[in-house]
Amino acid sequence: MINRLFIFFWLIPLSLAAQYTIRDPNAIPLHGEWRFALDPVDAGERGNWYREDASLNRWEKVTVPHCFSVDPRFQFYTGTAWYRRTFPFQPTAGKRVILHFDAAYYETTVWLNNRKVGTHEGGYTPFQFDITDYLKTGNGAVNAIAISVNNNTWKTTTIPGAKDNNLPESFPGWLNYGGLIRPVYLTVEPEVYVDNVKVEATPDLAKGTAWLSIKTRIRNAGRQTVTPKLAFRVEQNGKPVVLTWKQQPGSVAAGQTALLEAETTLKAADVKLWSIDQPILYDVQVVAATDTVQTHFGIRKVEVRNAQLLLNGQPIKVAGGNRVVDYTGLGSLEPDWVVEKDMRLMKEAGMELHRLTHYTPSETVYDWADRNGMLIISEAGNWQLTPRQMDNDTIRTKFRQQFREMAERDWNHPSVIAYSVGNEYLSEQPAGQRWTKDMIAYARELDPTRLYTFASMRLNILPKKPEDEASQYCDFISTNTYGNHANVLKHIHSLYPDKPIFISEYGTRADGKDGEAGQVTHLDKFLTDIRQLPYVVGASWWSFNDYLSRHDGTNPDGTRPWGLVRGDRSKRPLYKAHQTGMAPVTVEKVSLVTGSAGMHTITLRVTARNDFPSYALKKYQLKADKTMLTIPDLLPGQSANLTFQVRGFDKAMPVDISKPTGFTVFTQTIDLTNDTRTGN
């Protein structure tokens, strides 16, 4: 998404908006106190609850963003809820006022000053309405907004929704958390304004240069055709990049939207590649007439070749995790501190390549991943839709809408390397084949710069021919596999020998017969299996965190304890095991010589793994005792000896290894009890 620059003064307590980042720095938040009421019999519209003169008796006070499902009284409520508030606003001539929702779950209807503005369906993607003509005019005008939100996604016509197979487990495995779950805010635009910007940055790895394209979508809300002139400013770390642009001039008819394109080439001296350990970002500012917006992008190349995933031309194999948007006491709310906490925990657990979950989280997650270096496969909509549903034109239309909203929000994020068109549908049947082929084709029209896949559960039944299953249409394989890993993965590779394999789900619950220790044992066995398979490029544990559910197999307390961390983010033993097992390095003691005055001289050998995970290491650091050493750059399989001195007679010494971004990804205790003067 884009950030808009304009000057507007608005008095609102900062504390109300402080916990939720709105990417537009001058947006007008509608956070804070709202009135709230349940509407279990859908009486609200008939009873004119949206009218500004409607009584607010028995309406509660809540704070938006708001997830009504975390209130113990409403935890099991499925149906319509209402929100109301007033706000002062004085429209300015020649300006448009846009009402934005970063997401509301699931079906939303908006009224302003007694008039219906519009509706939206979809619980995890952004939407907006032009409310200029609905606002009151005149000094001291106060506007009344009313919003109904329905979280009933147990239906066979919603996405996500229930399967039309009449079975007990036919509904999604996560909660239908309802409410105004993400920021609600206003922006003020000129009559001709930038509606969206798509930045494509493609490096030429041989020459060191990069091709840069900016596609600017211009909305003309005025009454005359305009031919806007565009100007661009690109900066890296605050330093302007001097560029010569080639533009395609174009006009925008009154009341219409048009796409204007410009392109340029960055010389090698100005190109700094984005990667998981060097997440270098560029800022771009687009000026169209009197409107100015900004966004960021990264220059990186993601491709698949010879059953490998390549980032900037180098093979990369990394672990990841599936993160369910569910935090104890918050439900699906994602204030900034939750995003920071979760993403840091994942990064330091060695989770770098994620199919996060079956829907898109808040954009703050992607901003964090851009700044700190993560690879993400974003997924929309299709959770186990049946063949009849996948062939249904209405379901297909809803999916395309939600996919478009996701892609248009996220297409400038370098962390997003691929899109998934669904999870665990019957991909060997004709309807599943058609869905995969058609939706990937549709998605490529929106964004041809990403890779495409879907998370299959049907490859585990070992199809005999590649055309038996819809993974034939994917750039890489994503498989949800919960056992028999070596045999299943070897067979998948025999079917699709040129495609890398990403294990989009694997894992075991903490309440199995072996308890939490069983999770550690499961991970150890899993690593033994996949380290012999060079075509496995990623493995995403289900799930990073415990979550609440009503699905079959859920515990009596409502939890599904799959996580490295619990719902409150306390760590299980699996967390440490995952951090150790998924570290890209190993460390061993080569020699230890005890000198005078209790001074030890120790040599450690640091090796970059060449099996899994595996990628080039640059500017990593080792910390031991009070010593900090820079590890020489290492390619997979290479080693370096580091010699240093420590004082004291402790029996053991902790050794930490950190990334150039500062995240600790390896911790091990080295034995200091033996004098190994001759090495080992």
Side-chain angles (χ1 to χ4, degrees), residues 282-544:
Y282 291 74
D283 295 306
V284 59
Q285 192 176 97
V286 181
V287 180
T290 61
D291 194 23
T292 300
V293 300
Q294 64 183 21
T295 187
H296 67 250
F297 66 93
I299 302 174
R300 50 93 176 117
K301 188 171 186 178
V302 180
E303 53 191 328
V304 295
R305 187 169 62 243
N306 299 326
Q308 295 295 301
L309 174 66
L310 306 180
L311 177 60
N312 300 329
Q314 298 295 318
I316 184 170
K317 303 175 186 178
V318 282
N322 292 271
R323 172 182 175 264
V324 183
V325 183
D326 195 327
Y327 195 101
T328 299
L330 294 176
S332 59
L333 297 179
E334 292 183 283
D336 293 352
W337 67 267
V338 167
V339 173
E340 172 69 28
K341 185 174 186 176
D342 279 5
M343 302 305 281
R344 179 171 293 275
L345 281 168
M346 294 181 83
K347 185 79 172 179
E348 295 195 335
M351 292 180 162
E352 310 260 28
L353 169 57
H354 314 292
R355 194 284 301 261
L356 283 171
T357 192
H358 313 309
Y359 46 87
T360 183
S362 71
E363 194 170 8
T364 309
V365 169
Y366 296 83
D367 286 334
W368 195 99
D370 292 344
R371 294 192 309 270
N372 295 283
M374 281 185 172
L375 307 177
I376 295 175
I377 303 163
S378 288
E379 186 169 286
N382 180 353
W383 178 87
Q384 296 188 6
L385 290 176
T386 67
R388 284 189 300 273
Q389 290 171 307
M390 288 188 287
D391 276 343
N392 181 277
D393 287 341
T394 300
I395 290 290
R396 282 174 160 244
T397 298
K398 290 181 180 181
F399 178 85
R400 290 188 182 103
Q401 168 214 318
Q402 292 185 28
F403 189 96
R404 175 183 286 275
E405 290 168 346
M406 177 185 75
E408 291 188 353
R409 190 197 75 172
D410 295 338
W411 55 21
N412 294 334
H413 290 289
S415 57
V416 178
I417 65 167
Y419 294 118
S420 165
V421 297
N423 176 77
E424 293 185 350
Y425 51 87
L426 298 179
S427 50
E428 81 282 11
Q429 296 195 12
Q433 297 261 16
R434 284 190 291 270
W435 176 279
T436 308
K437 182 179 180 181
D438 294 349
M439 294 309 164
I440 287 179
Y442 169 78
R444 285 195 198 279
E445 292 180 2
L446 286 175
D447 191 350
T449 69
R450 259 68 180 198
L451 302 174
Y452 286 91
T453 189
F454 76 98
S456 175
M457 64 174 175
R458 307 304 285 175
L459 292 170
N460 300 317
I461 63 175
L462 306 182
K464 295 181 179 180
K465 303 185 298 296
E467 59 268 24
D468 289 344
E469 204 270 341
S471 294
Q472 62 179 303
Y473 301 112
C474 297
D475 294 311
F476 62 95
I477 308 300
S478 295
T479 179
N480 294 353
T481 301
Y482 283 88
N484 195 23
H485 296 106
N487 290 334
V488 169
L489 297 169
K490 288 176 182 177
H491 187 80
I492 294 173
H493 179 62
S494 72
L495 292 172
Y496 307 104
D498 296 327
K499 296 185 179 185
I501 298 175
F502 170 66
I503 304 168
S504 39
E505 290 182 26
Y506 76 103
T508 189
R509 287 168 58 145
D511 60 349
K513 65 182 181 65
D514 296 321
E516 294 184 348
Q519 288 185 302
V520 176
T521 302
H522 186 87
L523 177 63
D524 290 343
K525 174 62 167 61
F526 175 81
L527 283 170
T528 299
D529 288 343
I530 68 167
R531 281 177 174 158
Q532 61 180 304
L533 308 175
Y535 41 81
V536 174
V537 299
S540 197
W541 180 277
W542 185 274
S543 56
F544 160 69

Side-chain angles (χ1 to χ4, degrees), residues 113-182:
N113 297 325
N114 307 328
R115 298 166 60 193
K116 181 181 287 188
V117 176
T119 63
H120 176 266
E121 182 172 342
Y124 300 107
T125 48
F127 58 99
Q128 63 188 47
F129 301 103
D130 187 327
I131 60 170
T132 308
D133 298 334
Y134 296 83
L135 291 166
K136 292 182 179 180
T137 59
N139 293 330
V142 176
N143 298 274
I145 185 171
I147 302 170
S148 71
V149 181
N150 190 303
N151 71 328
N152 186 4
T153 48
W154 306 135
K155 297 185 289 188
T156 60
T157 56
T158 59
I159 297 180
K163 296 182 284 186
D164 62 355
N165 58 13
N166 300 317
L167 296 175
E169 69 277 11
S170 65
F171 53 89
W174 65 99
L175 286 191
N176 55 331
Y177 284 117
L180 299 179
I181 59 173
R182 294 185 190 157

Side-chain angles (χ1 to χ4, degrees), residues 96 130 190-196 216-228 250-260:
R96 309 302 297 182
D130 187 327
E191 284 193 336
V192 178
Y193 64 91
V194 177
D195 183 56
N196 205 341
T216 307
R217 194 163 68 204
I218 303 291
R219 172 67 180 167
N220 179 7
R223 298 181 179 180
Q224 296 181 343
T225 297
V226 296
T227 304
S251 60
V252 188
Q256 300 297 313
T257 301
L259 193 68
L260 303 182

